[in-house]
Amino acid sequence: MIYVAIAFLVLLALNLPLAFTIGISSLLYFFASGLPLEIATQRMVTSTQSFPLLAVPFFVLAGNLMNETGITRRLISFSKVITGHMRGGLAQVSIVLSALMGGISGSATADAAMESRVLGPSMIQRGYSKGFIAAVLAMGGLITATIPPSIGLILYGFVGEVSIGKLFLAGIIPGVLLTIAFMVATAIISKKRNYVVERPNPPSLGEVFHELRSNILALIFPLILIVGIRFGIFTASEAGAFAVVYAFVIGKFVYKELTYKKLIEVLKQTSLDIGIIMFIIICSAIFGYIMVSDQVPQHLAGFITGISSQPVIILFIILAFLFVIGMFMEATVNVLILTPIFLPIIKSVGYDPVHFGILFMIINTMGGMTPPVGVTMYTTCSLLECPTEVYVKESLPFIAAVLLLIVILALFPQIVLFIPNMVFGV
């Protein structure tokens, strides 16, 4: 196993894409140990043969469709009415938009990239610093990855055999709390720097009702998914298929903004997105087999429980490890590789896997917003032409807010479990 770790670190240092790094270093294990390569091939194939996993490509396609149907533009309009009167109006708009996009894109990086293209130029024109813009837009992606339907939660549920419906419900309150925390941090910074407001006065009830009526088809989308899954109308995978049909019908026949040319571009982009995700999944399957064969979870569990027998300390040790490893590895990879390792430990000390899944997803996704290899960080900085060192400085207040919230959620599990326990029963 040691040579696999060495090969992994060397390939990572050479800046090889993570999927190739995982796949090549894992195959070395088979060559060195004399195991037949047929096992690796079988593991790669069987990792894709899962009905729940169909939710991932469906939601990726649905998110790309909705970005081309005018729904995103309408959500921006709704967000401006709700938060435009606040100090740092456009920054507040971006945070609320991230919360609304949680039920659409399900991807932190996709959300941050879209907002950087749409809101970034306008925020620069209004005098916001590029570092602040990049930090707000990137960190807002955490909300998207927490509020259902999150692709990361789907993968966690798939790998850990945890109810995806419960995970979706568990993400609602933490997602709302993240939104509030970011809005408070943004308001404090914006007031200090005297950033502009978009509207002179708070919205009237009539304005809110008008915008709500105009955007109701987009806003009720997450509610339809959650209710449908809870009452057995469809599974998570079927919900993804429904999301695709919903997005197509709304874009083509209601808003009439989805042309066939746009549809072709959406299918091309979705093919690329799904190809990348699935390649990571099949390579991670080989790595997971090696972990199980060498009893890595058992050894690691023994090491962690040897440090302390207190469940809360064990939880925070694991969360600290996830925070560090998230800085170096992509979030999807971490979910696929680390869930089988840490979930049994968490269960053994009495924590609910749904509770841990939300904590895992927040802190794991935040790795994409931190150096040295944060994908979301580099996406926003690249699109806004912002130096990463400036971004890092501006992101510190938001990172502090997230870490404080994680501590609260870890110490008070019922904040996370209240809705799923109420809906599904304890």
Side-chain angles (χ1 to χ4, degrees), residues 93-385:
V93 167
S94 74
I95 295 169
V96 172
L97 181 60
S98 293
L100 298 176
M101 287 293 290
I104 297 176
S105 72
S107 167
T109 302
D111 177 49
M114 180 277 298
E115 293 193 30
S116 295
R117 294 188 186 98
V118 176
L119 294 175
S122 298
M123 293 177 74
I124 293 173
Q125 290 176 3
R126 284 166 171 76
Y128 295 85
S129 71
K130 285 187 177 181
F132 176 75
I133 299 170
V136 170
L137 298 184
M139 296 301 295
L142 272 179
I143 306 170
T144 302
T146 307
I147 290 181
S150 162
I151 291 174
L153 289 177
I154 294 171
L155 291 176
Y156 172 84
F158 160 68
V159 175
E161 298 182 353
V162 181
S163 168
I164 295 175
K166 286 186 177 180
L167 287 168
F168 279 3
L169 290 172
I172 295 175
I173 292 180
V176 171
L177 293 177
L178 274 174
T179 303
I180 294 171
F182 288 158
M183 291 182 73
V184 170
T186 297
I188 294 172
I189 295 170
S190 299
K191 183 177 181 180
K192 183 178 179 181
R193 299 180 183 179
N194 200 31
Y195 285 147
V196 298
V197 296
E198 296 299 307
R199 294 166 51 93
N201 301 306
S204 65
L205 288 177
E207 289 177 303
V208 173
F209 179 76
H210 177 267
E211 286 295 325
L212 186 62
R213 184 177 60 183
S214 301
N215 296 284
I216 191 66
L217 292 174
L219 295 172
I220 65 172
F221 172 62
L223 183 62
I224 294 173
L225 295 183
I226 292 171
V227 172
I229 292 173
R230 169 62 186 91
F231 290 100
I233 300 173
F234 37 60
T235 64
S237 299
E238 292 165 345
F242 167 80
V244 172
V245 176
Y246 185 92
F248 179 81
V249 171
I250 296 300
K252 184 66 180 175
F253 302 108
V254 180
Y255 294 152
K256 298 180 180 179
E257 293 189 22
L258 182 64
T259 64
Y260 287 109
K261 183 178 179 181
K262 286 183 177 180
L263 180 59
I264 292 172
E265 290 301 317
V266 164
L267 293 175
K268 287 181 179 178
Q269 183 60 48
T270 302
S271 299
L272 291 173
D273 293 341
I274 294 173
I276 293 170
I277 293 173
M278 293 308 296
F279 190 53
I280 292 173
I281 289 173
I282 63 175
C283 289
S284 298
I286 318 174
F287 197 83
Y289 173 80
I290 295 172
M291 291 285 188
V292 173
S293 297
D294 275 17
Q295 296 186 320
V296 172
Q298 292 87 335
H299 294 318
L300 190 58
F303 173 75
I304 293 176
T305 53
I307 297 174
S308 174
S309 60
Q310 295 295 320
V312 68
I313 295 178
I314 292 174
L315 175 62
F316 279 109
I317 289 173
I318 292 174
L319 291 177
F321 177 84
L322 292 173
F323 178 70
V324 174
I325 202 69
M327 296 180 180
F328 298 92
M329 290 176 61
E330 202 269 330
T332 303
V333 177
N334 287 339
V335 172
L336 295 169
I337 292 178
L338 299 179
T339 297
I341 296 175
F342 289 123
L343 190 55
I345 302 174
I346 286 297
K347 287 181 177 179
S348 69
V349 296
Y351 279 102
D352 191 296
V354 173
H355 174 221
F356 177 68
I358 300 301
L359 297 176
F360 186 177
M361 194 48 50
I362 294 174
I363 203 161
N364 180 48
T365 306
M366 190 168 66
M369 291 98 183
T370 54
V373 291
V375 176
T376 308
M377 174 188 70
Y378 285 122
T379 299
T380 53
C381 287
S382 174
L383 291 172
L384 296 169
E385 298 180 353

